[in-house]
Every structure is written in C-alpha cells, then in structure tokens.
Amino acid sequence: MIRKIAISAAGLLAAAVAVVLVLAAGKPDTFRIQRAASIKAPPEKIFALINDFGRWGAWSPYEKKDPAMKRSRSGPAAGKGAVYAWEGNGEVGAGRMVIADSAPPSRVTINLEFIRPLEVSNVVEFTMEPRGDSTHVTWAMHGPSPFISKIMQVFFDMDSMVGGDFEAGLASLKTLAET
C-alpha cells in the first residue's frame, strides 16, 4: 500500500515537472517590458535626471527597496560610459549599469548586467519625445529569456512585477521633473 502511494506520488511529481517544462519551453526566447508616461516638463530636464546616475536616487524605485544598498559610480559623471554598480538585499540583488549611448535630449541606452540573483544581461532604453507642453517618456527593458527565466515566467508575471516598478519610477520622475 505504501509503495503504491509512493509510486503514485512520484508519478504525479514527474507529471507536474513535465507540465512546467513544456509550458516554459513555449515561452518566447526574448522579452520586452515597457511603460510610458506623459510629463509636463521639457525633454532636456527629464533627460538630465536619467542621464546622470547620481540623480537616480531621487526617482528610481529600486533605490527605495534597499536603502542600505552598497553603491558605487565610476567613469564620467553622466552620459556615455558612466557606470553604476550596486550590491543589495534579495529584492535588488547585485549588478551594474553602463550608459552605452546618450543622445541629448531624446534617448539614453543602458547595458544592465545582473550578477545576483541570476546572471543576465539586458538593455534598458529611455526615450523622450516632446508633445506640446509635455514630454512622452518611455522606459523599456529587453533581452534574452534563458530557460531558467522561462521557468520563472510559468509562475510569475514578470511584466507586471517589473512593469509596476517602471510605473512607480515614472511617477516619481514625473513629480520631480514637474516641480
């Protein structure tokens, strides 16, 4: 009797694992998360807040998730080549960002490298488009989806999780730029 229960339990576990693996295999090989906001400020003002990692503390939602996070900056103070590295709690992990391209006042492209909890490299893009007395700001992140990420996507909606952070950051950026 116990043997039958153990065999049945092992069979159910194997079936559950197989289902998760099949669902993960069906996920796309790349991802893109994007949010946008309209900010009543000129693109130059918003660009300056994004293009300088030293100013991210005032608006980035990740800065608030771990106030004790270790931070370091190197390279130029702002613009192409500026580097921001961090090491923090389980919510923010560890990694670094490097501004790969800076086109004032319309675009900042950042190479984002996570070291922990997973080693992944993504691209982050901020674009600023003037629209009358406002600026349409888009915050996007895209990159490859390794199989471990696909497995996580079976259980977690990454777009909602990261997108929520982007929405909070854009709201803080809006408040800061409009004052």
Side-chain angles (χ1 to χ4, degrees), residues 36-43 127-138:
S38 179
I39 299 176
K40 288 191 178 200
T127 56
M128 283 108 341
E129 299 173 32
R131 293 191 181 164
D133 65 345
S134 296
T135 301
H136 182 80
V137 180
T138 302

Side-chain angles (χ1 to χ4, degrees), residues 41-117:
E44 295 81 7
K45 185 173 185 181
I46 301 162
F47 178 86
L49 295 168
I50 296 169
N51 195 51
D52 180 350
F53 289 133
R55 300 184 75 184
W56 280 46
W59 65 268
S60 172
Y62 301 105
E63 295 290 328
K64 296 171 183 77
K65 289 184 180 224
D66 182 6
M69 178 170 48
K70 295 177 187 168
R71 304 161 178 89
S72 65
R73 293 191 354 235
S74 59
K80 188 173 181 174
V83 177
Y84 176 89
W86 74 93
E87 188 171 336
N89 63 22
E91 251 190 294
V92 298
R96 69 182 250 160
M97 297 186 289
V98 179
I99 296 180
D101 192 29
S102 177
S106 61
R107 186 175 32 85
V108 177
T109 303
I110 299 167
N111 290 334
L112 172 61
E113 300 169 11
F114 286 103
I115 298 166
R116 163 173 74 70

Side-chain angles (χ1 to χ4, degrees), residues 33 35 156-167:
I33 298 169
R35 296 295 188 273
F156 303 104
D157 182 359
M158 299 304 285
D159 185 80
S160 292
M161 289 172 51
V162 175
D165 289 340
F166 286 10
E167 290 165 9

Side-chain angles (χ1 to χ4, degrees), residues 17-37:
V17 169
V19 167
V20 168
L21 294 175
V22 167
L23 290 172
K27 298 288 182 184
D29 292 333
T30 61
F31 77 95
R32 181 174 182 88
I33 298 169
Q34 177 176 308
R35 296 295 188 273

